[in-house]
């Protein structure tokens, strides 16, 4: 497990630009090293800005998108194409713009999918899809080069909410009922699954995220502040704008 490092950018727009540039470099490096890349996307406002920024970068054409696997850290359990689904947002902003192999875009099931409106079955289906992509001889998950997370005002990451029973689910993918943030039903990677990623990037912009970011970096408990429980195996990178970084101890900051 890696120690956290923090990079702070002037505002949300520059933050999105910087994350987009980092993501392209990470994908290019992974493809140079492993012949392919595996990226885990998140949802929410800053994720949408990052996706748009990647799509707008000319360097996006340096990536061989046919050798990129796209996974999600969580999903709102809604019908296919619902504008609130993280998948729908990512497709509109980025995935429909770059030449991905459709077979390598691994969306979490929708509520009108093969399991109907049963999120437990949908979570199990996604776990099986992840296991099918696991490296031979390894456990239940593929290699994730980079896994990006937004952060809720309450400190949630993916759909792992404070004090929610999802914290005690030992499976890699969990169904979430009773989410305090709409919609109430979701599917999510659990923290142990998230923490198998080589690099985890926590991306947050705006003053409404400052308290949660500050508490997570001050060592809060992960059941109370789920963002505090996230670590990449090689790198844990907090990518913030100044407003979101307001409560980050100065010794942890690298100002841009
Ligand atoms: O519901 C969700 O919220 C978080 C944070 O979203 P934001 O709009 O407040 O930035 C997001 O990371 C998560 O993937 C999503 O399902």
């Amino acid at each position: 497990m890696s120690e956290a490092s923090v990079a702070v950018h002037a505002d949300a727009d520059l933050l999105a630009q910087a994350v987009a540039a980092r993501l392209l470099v990470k994908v290019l490096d992974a493809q140079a090293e492993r012949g392919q890349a595996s990226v885990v996307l998140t949802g929410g406002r800053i994720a949408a800005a990052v996706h748009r920024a990647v799509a707008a970068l000319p360097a996006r054409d340096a990536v061989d998108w046919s050798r990129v696997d796209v996974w999600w850290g969580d999903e709102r359990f809604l019908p296919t194409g619902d504008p609130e689904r993280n998948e729908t947002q990512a497709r509109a902003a980025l995935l429909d713009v770059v030449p991905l192999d459709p077979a390598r875009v691994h969306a979490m099931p929708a509520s009108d999918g093969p399991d109907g409106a049963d999120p437990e079955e949908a979570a199990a289906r996604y776990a099986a899809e992840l296991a099918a992509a696991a490296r031979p001889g390894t456990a239940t998950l593929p290699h994730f080069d980079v896994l990006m997370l937004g952060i809720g005002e309450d400190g949630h990451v993916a759909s792992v909410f404070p004090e929610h029973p999802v914290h005690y689910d030992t499976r890699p993918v969990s169904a979430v009922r009773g989410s305090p943030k709409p919609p109430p039903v979701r599917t999510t990677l659990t923290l142990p699954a998230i923490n198998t990623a080589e690099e985890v990037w926590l991306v947050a912009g705006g003053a409404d995220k400052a308290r949660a970011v500050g508490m997570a970096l001050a060592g809060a408990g992960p059941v109370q502040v789920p963002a505090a429980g996230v670590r990449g195996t090689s790198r844990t990178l907090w990518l913030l704008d100044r407003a979101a970084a307001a409560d980050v101890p100065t010794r942890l900051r690298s100002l841009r």
Side-chain angles (χ1 to χ4, degrees):
M1 294 249 268
S2 54
E3 287 301 310
S5 56
V6 181
V8 182
H9 298 278
D11 57 35
D13 187 47
L14 279 173
L15 170 64
Q17 297 290 339
V19 177
R22 282 181 187 273
L23 184 62
L24 287 181
V25 171
K26 182 64 192 167
V27 167
L28 288 165
D29 282 350
Q31 289 186 333
E33 285 167 25
R34 302 196 302 114
Q36 56 187 314
S38 174
V39 173
V40 185
L41 302 182
T42 188
R45 290 160 289 176
I46 196 67
V50 169
H51 298 156
R52 286 192 297 271
V54 173
L57 278 173
R60 78 174 206 212
D61 294 334
V63 169
D64 179 350
W65 291 98
S66 71
R67 291 186 294 123
V68 178
D69 279 287
V70 178
W71 301 91
W72 271 266
D74 77 312
E75 187 55 274
R76 295 122 181 232
F77 197 54
L78 296 166
T80 310
D82 189 293
E84 290 299 315
R85 269 180 66 81
N86 293 337
E87 177 200 358
T88 310
Q89 295 174 3
R91 284 192 187 278
L94 176 61
L95 307 184
D96 291 345
V97 179
V98 291
L100 287 154
D101 175 353
R104 297 182 81 154
V105 178
H106 309 274
M108 287 186 168
S111 62
D112 59 352
D115 308 304
D118 183 337
E120 281 79 17
E121 284 297 320
R125 181 178 296 278
Y126 204 63
E129 188 169 347
L130 286 159
R135 287 165 295 177
T138 64
T140 53
L141 292 165
H143 178 84
F144 299 138
D145 292 296
V146 58
L147 183 152
M148 289 179 287
L149 296 168
I151 304 156
E153 289 85 343
D154 59 357
H156 81 262
V157 287
S159 286
V160 179
F161 290 92
E163 312 281 359
H164 192 279
V166 66
H167 286 278
Y168 307 103
D169 190 339
T170 54
R171 296 169 295 184
V173 189
S174 188
V176 174
R177 294 178 186 269
S179 159
K181 177 179 178 180
V185 184
R186 294 155 172 260
T187 50
T188 189
L189 299 189
T190 53
L191 292 188
I194 287 170
N195 289 345
T196 66
E198 181 185 320
E199 296 199 11
V200 174
W201 299 355
L202 297 112
V203 186
D208 52 344
K209 306 294 167 94
R211 189 166 166 271
V213 169
M215 287 196 300
L217 282 166
V223 177
Q224 291 74 34
V225 183
V230 167
R231 294 277 184 286
T233 59
S234 296
R235 193 175 202 200
T236 308
L237 188 53
W238 289 73
L239 297 159
L240 308 171
D241 71 3
R242 278 192 187 135
D247 294 347
V248 175
T250 313
R251 65 183 166 79
L252 291 176
R253 293 190 198 199
S254 143
L255 278 169
R256 298 282 184 277

